[in-house]
Amino acid sequence: MGVSEGTGEARVRLPQLRLDELLEELQARLDAARGTRDRVHSLLEAVLSVGRELDLEQALHSIVEAAAALVDAQYAALGVIGPDGKRLSAFHTVGVSDEQIARIGPYPEGHGILGELIHHPEPLRLARLSEHSASYGFPPHHPPMNTFLGVPIRVREQVFGNLYLTEKRGGVQFDEEDEAVLSTLAVAAGVAIDNARLYEDSRLRERWLRANAEITHRLMSGGAQAEVLRLIADRARENTGAALALVAMPMQGTDSLSVELALGKDAQAHQGLVLPVDGSLMGHAFTTGSPVTCVDVSVDERVAVAPERFAGLGPAVAVPIGSGAEGVRGVVLLVREAGRTVFTDKEIEPLRGFAAQAAVAMELAERRQDAEEIAVLKDRDRIARDLHDLAIQRLFATGMTLQSAGRLIEHAEASERVVRAVDDLDETIKIIRSTIFGLRSREGGAGSGLRARAVRVIGEAATVLGFAPSIRMEGLVDTDVPREIADDVVAVLSEALTNVARHARAGRADVVLETDGREVRLTVTDDGVGIAAGGRRSGLRNLAERAERYGGTLTVDRPETGGARLVWQVPVGD
């Protein structure tokens, strides 16, 4: 009986155990379904969140954050592939602090495992990073990483970049479901990136159109050329993210370009520099009428004049203002900071159109100015004709009448007064004729200004020195410096460079010619042996006398960097 009772109890327990197992299995499947549902909801939320962003940088950051959350990764990164398709041009991270990034050093360029996805854009899942043949190891101060999951992001059938996830939380491996979720996010990310790019392109086109309209309005409303050049440089720098913008214009009567405007990083070092057309970066763009790019302007051989002024800068593009050999009016040079991306054709095209539109606006403004000048000249001709045909003839007739009447006057004193009146009329006629000549006269030919003459002296001295001195000019040297003083400035410059060639044994010379409307100052600096204390200075006496003639001064000293520095300055204003 006891056995029977025991057997009955076992029969009762066995169905109960199976039911518990079934309930546990059902609960597990419910939990799995609930987890899948939650993950799908998270994926949908991530897709919606990423799709809302129209700013590209913010969209990329949102993608990285969403990827880390979806697969529960401790570290996540998005590497953007550069224009060459071989290395990374940008890197966005999650999970690594700014202090850690600073200790690690520069962002990776796409070698090792990161490069593996660039060369083979397919999902890659690893249990241990170090076991892969392409693994290079980590730089110092890099946090340890073992598990890895990477997927490419495609935009319009082109690989834009890659998502890199490492260290799944809980010490577990990334699985097939993680890979599927991340691949799905990558597809949504591609759409979001494409939308952000299109939005950024439309905004950029709008900024270029707005800049063109602003320049045209400023020119056609009578704005000064210097003001318009500043506007051109400023808008071009803003729209391209450049750190430095230069505008160089051709100098009449010379084969040189003068940097009329410099904005941005170390702008003062570029302002007023005179650059040769032949062989220079901006000169190449000027002569060819096409944009010219370089990867690193600080080491480019086409930057021969004071290359140190580009320290800390990198990619550059020189764009002509106008087109064609005769239609180029100047050159805009835009330079980005070192380490930034090079200028692409996609960026250069709107910049080129902007520069061409600016050239058209400048042409129209010049034609308007020419028309106004023609009107003034016609008015001068009319005044001169009226003076000649009416005033002089009347004065001459009055003089003849007085001269004839003087013979009939018997009173000596009265006759003498009439003679003086006739002489005064003759003198007045001479003054009017001089005025007529002045109204009809024209200015001297191109290249007769102080700027052009100084550049020619520099060019002539280069053959004697064995190198081309650099020259920078600031202020209205052609209009504020009188002709007589300008002659002396040219003579002093020529003699100073001759002295450098004869005595300094220099490898470099820098010339600065500047005026503020009150005085003109010429500074010539070289890196030679300098002038010995107590040495002969008879060769400088002539230069000092030229300065003293106008109440100016000549000083010669030795800069801290060595060599010699000559400063010749005289007043030019009232």
Side-chain angles (χ1 to χ4, degrees), residues 204-205 208-209 211-212 215 232 235-237 239-240 284-293 317-325 327-334 343-362:
L204 185 60
R205 281 194 297 270
W208 283 122
L209 290 172
N212 274 325
I215 290 169
I232 291 172
R235 294 297 178 267
R237 186 167 65 99
N239 290 348
T240 59
H284 190 189
F286 181 79
T287 53
T288 61
S290 301
V292 179
T293 61
V317 60
V319 180
I321 301 176
S323 60
V328 178
R329 297 179 163 274
V331 180
V332 177
L333 179 69
L334 298 169
F343 287 89
T344 62
D345 293 339
K346 186 178 179 180
E347 293 177 299
I348 294 174
E349 193 58 35
L351 177 59
R352 188 175 186 177
F354 167 72
Q357 183 67 24
V360 172
M362 292 172 69

Side-chain angles (χ1 to χ4, degrees), residues 5 14 47 90 104 176 195 201 210 254 285 293 359 444 454 514 542:
E5 291 178 358
L14 283 174
V47 169
I104 294 171
E176 293 182 0
N195 290 338
D201 288 346
R210 190 162 54 243
T254 70
T293 61
E514 52 193 339
N542 178 42

Side-chain angles (χ1 to χ4, degrees), residues 477-491:
V477 296
D478 281 340
T479 56
D480 286 347
V481 182
R483 178 76 184 191
E484 182 181 1
I485 297 179
D487 292 341
D488 279 307
V489 171
V490 173

Side-chain angles (χ1 to χ4, degrees), residues 332-462:
V332 177
L333 179 69
L334 298 169
V335 191
R336 287 174 174 157
E337 292 182 345
R340 294 284 305 278
T341 57
V342 298
F343 287 89
T344 62
D345 293 339
K346 186 178 179 180
E347 293 177 299
I348 294 174
E349 193 58 35
L351 177 59
R352 188 175 186 177
F354 167 72
Q357 183 67 24
V360 172
M362 292 172 69
E363 176 77 16
L364 292 174
E366 286 185 5
R367 291 292 176 265
R368 180 177 55 80
Q369 186 177 0
D370 289 344
E372 292 175 354
E373 290 180 357
I374 290 173
V376 171
L377 292 175
K378 285 183 177 181
D379 198 38
R380 287 182 178 181
D381 286 341
R382 181 188 59 77
I383 294 171
R385 186 170 58 252
D386 291 345
L387 286 173
H388 183 272
D389 295 344
L390 300 176
I392 288 182
Q393 297 303 325
R394 282 194 166 192
L395 289 173
F396 187 75
T398 302
M400 292 291 292
T401 301
L402 288 174
Q403 194 172 19
S404 299
R407 299 191 189 100
L408 303 177
I409 298 175
E410 296 180 355
H411 193 282
E413 185 176 349
S415 178
E416 184 180 350
R417 288 185 178 183
V418 170
V419 171
R420 284 203 303 269
V422 171
D423 292 339
D424 289 342
L425 287 174
D426 288 338
E427 189 65 28
T428 302
I429 291 173
K430 290 179 182 179
I431 293 173
I432 294 177
R433 281 178 172 165
S434 177
T435 302
I436 293 172
F437 177 77
L439 288 170
R440 289 178 172 173
S441 65
R442 297 291 184 266
E443 295 182 356
S448 61
L450 179 54
R451 281 176 175 266
R453 296 171 68 191
V455 172
R456 283 197 291 269
V457 170
I458 292 290
E460 293 168 359

Side-chain angles (χ1 to χ4, degrees), residues 2-20:
V3 173
S4 302
E5 291 178 358
T7 305
E9 290 178 1
R11 289 176 179 174
V12 173
R13 289 173 185 169
L14 283 174
Q16 184 69 37
L17 290 173
R18 292 184 62 189
L19 180 61
D20 290 343

